[in-house]
């Protein structure tokens, strides 16, 4: 089997590449290294069954050559992360919408099975937890850049559904706060990457707002397992699946956990959203997935407890960045 992983040099993408190679796939990666890092795939570069193309998914003729050649597409390339989207909404919208349009148009032309990576941001600030796949979305006004991310991925989902209506086997997975090795610490990987690096350096751990907002952090091995199972389940085609853990934790609890696991002297400080994101920002206060559909459809359930996943992630940061924590790890 031949697979294309768009965004395959990114944090989730490169972990997926590892899995696909272990499963015996020949893998093509298209990644322009805007958020991905060549270090994430360096161990595959001499492999005859691995092919890296350093280019944008917006290059239609390139994408046509690659897509016509492979059997399955994992479309993960996107501008991800609230911070990046808020900083550059135009790039996020173009990459996420136009990029997916190109991928699906070509997948349809050459009739290739496709998985589209989406996000729990889809649900916006809805507090109807646990968030089921068919829950209402609740977004703020379009003047708040954060929601451009949610809407750009929602358009991707509409595209996926529309092509499925034409018969194309396409499945959508919605990731819930994935974390693990290769998270970016220097740029903006996730709150876990930030807290681990702050704690490693003995710097203040920056909890935004009151820290009572919650997330369901999902270890990357679980994220990849859900992705792989979804793409190999024919009944999943034309549907959307939460890929996340049902272990919910507040951000301030997370800060204490990271501090304790590292035995760090870092103080925990509270930072207003306005200081972190400016005045025009809205937050998702609770984010907990309903995990039943993925379990019923393709037997996926996240299994790595947060403490274990954090230990493994911390070990990776310590190995990669040293105790000084340069944070030069991989970008998501
Ligand atoms: N967060 C925080 N301190 C930081 C970075 C993030 O308290 O230094 C909070 C952020 O406000 C959010 C949560 O941690 O409530 C998860 O943030 P992340 O950017 O990892 O993911 P997302 O907001 O997309 O869920």
């Amino acid at each position: 089997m031949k697979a294309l992983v768009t965004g395959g040099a990114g944090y989730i993408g490169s972990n997926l590449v590892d899995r696909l190679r272990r499963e015996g796939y020949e893998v093509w990666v298209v990644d322009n290294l805007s958020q991905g890092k060549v270090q994430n795939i360096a161990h595959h570069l001499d492999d005859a069954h691995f092919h890296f193309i350093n280019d944008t998914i917006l290059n239609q003729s390139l994408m046509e050559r690659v897509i016509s050649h492979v059997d399955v597409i994992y479309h993960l390339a996107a501008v991800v992360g609230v911070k990046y989207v808020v900083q550059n909404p135009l790039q996020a919208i173009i990459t996420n919408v136009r990029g997916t349009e190109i991928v699906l148009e070509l997948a349809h032309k050459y009739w290739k099975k496709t998985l589209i990576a989406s996000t729990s941001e889809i649900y916006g600030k809805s507090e109807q937890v646990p968030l089921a796949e068919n829950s209402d979305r609740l977004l703020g006004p379009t003047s708040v850049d954060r929601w451009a991310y949610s809407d750009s991925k929602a358009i991707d989902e509409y595209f996926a559904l529309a092509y499925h209506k034409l018969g194309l086997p396409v499945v959508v997975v919605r990731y819930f706060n994935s974390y693990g090795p290769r998270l970016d610490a220097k740029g903006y990987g996730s709150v876990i990457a930030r807290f681990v690096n702050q704690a490693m350096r003995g710097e203040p751990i920056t909890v935004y707002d009151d820290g009572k907002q919650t997330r369901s952090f999902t270890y990357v091995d679980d994220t990849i397992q859900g992705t792989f199972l979804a793409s190999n389940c024919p009944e999943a085609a034309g549907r959307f699946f939460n890929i996340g853990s049902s272990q919910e934790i507040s951000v301030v609890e997370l800060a204490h956990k990271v501090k304790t696991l590292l035995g760090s002297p870092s103080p925990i400080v509270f930072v207003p959203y306005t200081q972190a994101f400016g005045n025009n920002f809205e937050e998702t206060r609770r984010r907990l997935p309903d995990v039943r559909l993925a379990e019923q459809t393709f037997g996926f359930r996240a299994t790595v407890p947060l403490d274990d996943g954090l230990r493994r992630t911390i070990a990776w940061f310590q190995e990669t960045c040293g105790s000084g924590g340069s944070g030069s790890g991989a970008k998501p």
Side-chain angles (χ1 to χ4, degrees):
M1 287 284 278
K2 295 174 180 172
L4 163 64
V5 182
T6 69
Y11 149 67
I12 297 179
S14 65
N15 279 288
L16 177 63
V17 168
D18 291 353
R19 171 69 183 265
L20 292 172
R21 285 297 298 121
R22 280 202 301 279
E23 300 282 345
Y25 285 70
E26 182 166 4
V27 176
W28 276 256
V29 162
V30 175
D31 194 311
N32 66 353
L33 303 180
S34 60
Q35 283 183 259
K37 285 224 158 191
V38 79
Q39 290 93 310
N40 289 343
I41 48 169
H43 52 294
H44 294 296
L45 289 176
D46 291 335
D47 177 351
H49 299 289
F50 177 81
H51 316 276
F52 170 48
I53 301 156
N54 179 5
D55 205 341
T56 167
I57 56 168
L58 302 177
N59 180 342
Q60 194 151 355
S61 57
L62 161 76
M63 293 299 283
E64 180 145 14
R65 280 199 305 279
V66 181
I67 286 177
S68 62
H69 195 72
V70 298
D71 304 300
V72 55
I73 303 161
Y74 292 88
H75 178 43
L76 275 67
V79 173
V80 294
V82 171
K83 190 101 181 169
Y84 283 124
V85 174
V86 169
Q87 274 166 1
N88 197 343
L90 183 60
Q91 195 202 343
I93 295 164
I94 291 172
T95 307
N96 296 358
V97 177
R98 181 75 191 122
T100 302
E101 188 183 355
I102 289 172
V103 167
L104 280 170
E105 216 171 88
L106 293 168
H108 180 244
K109 179 170 175 182
Y110 293 98
W111 211 260
K112 300 298 164 83
K113 186 170 81 161
T114 304
L115 175 138
I116 303 288
S118 186
T119 168
S120 52
E121 273 284 312
I122 281 287
Y123 299 106
K125 54 186 175 178
S126 168
E127 289 187 26
Q128 278 181 9
V129 292
L131 297 156
E133 283 82 350
N134 59 0
S135 298
D136 286 343
R137 304 173 59 221
L138 180 62
L139 305 184
T142 47
S143 54
V144 175
D145 289 326
R146 176 190 189 131
W147 307 124
Y149 181 39
S150 182
D151 273 338
S152 68
K153 297 305 283 189
I155 295 284
D156 291 356
E157 295 199 1
Y158 284 124
F159 267 131
L161 198 57
Y163 277 107
H164 178 260
K165 285 191 176 130
L166 300 179
L168 188 73
V170 49
V171 58
V172 175
V173 289
R174 293 176 180 160
Y175 295 137
F176 279 69
N177 291 80
S178 184
Y179 74 100
R182 300 188 191 149
L183 270 178
D184 177 30
K186 203 173 191 179
Y188 189 79
S190 93
V191 65
I192 290 187
R194 276 175 63 83
F195 284 1
V196 168
N197 273 272
Q198 288 166 340
M200 275 170 43
R201 296 190 199 122
E203 292 169 1
I205 299 177
T206 55
V207 170
Y208 295 159
D209 199 53
D210 60 3
K212 289 185 185 151
Q213 67 273 33
T214 73
R215 294 294 185 267
S216 307
F217 295 100
T218 309
Y219 190 66
V220 67
D221 288 2
D222 284 326
T223 308
I224 299 302
Q225 175 71 355
T227 305
F228 191 70
L229 291 177
S231 71
N232 284 291
C233 173
E235 296 75 47
R239 297 164 74 189
F240 314 95
F241 296 91
N242 290 338
I243 299 297
S245 161
S246 39
Q247 193 181 350
E248 187 182 18
I249 185 172
S250 72
V251 169
V252 68
E253 280 176 89
L254 175 76
H256 283 286
K257 217 179 244 305
V258 168
K259 181 176 155 80
T260 307
L261 285 171
L262 274 157
S264 166
S266 290
I268 292 173
V269 299
F270 291 85
V271 177
Y273 287 135
T274 45
Q275 200 175 310
F277 295 105
N279 284 325
N280 210 11
F281 182 74
E282 289 183 354
E283 171 67 312
T284 301
R285 293 296 299 179
R286 273 190 85 185
R287 189 183 283 153
L288 173 72
D290 187 326
V291 296
R292 288 173 297 180
L293 192 62
E295 183 159 26
Q296 286 157 8
T297 313
F298 44 83
F300 169 71
R301 195 167 186 107
T303 57
V304 182
L306 183 60
D307 281 11
D308 290 359
L310 281 177
R311 278 194 200 93
R312 292 188 221 170
T313 306
I314 286 169
W316 179 81
F317 272 114
Q318 285 173 325
E319 231 172 76
T320 315
C321 309
S323 53
S326 73
S328 59
K331 285 195 170 190

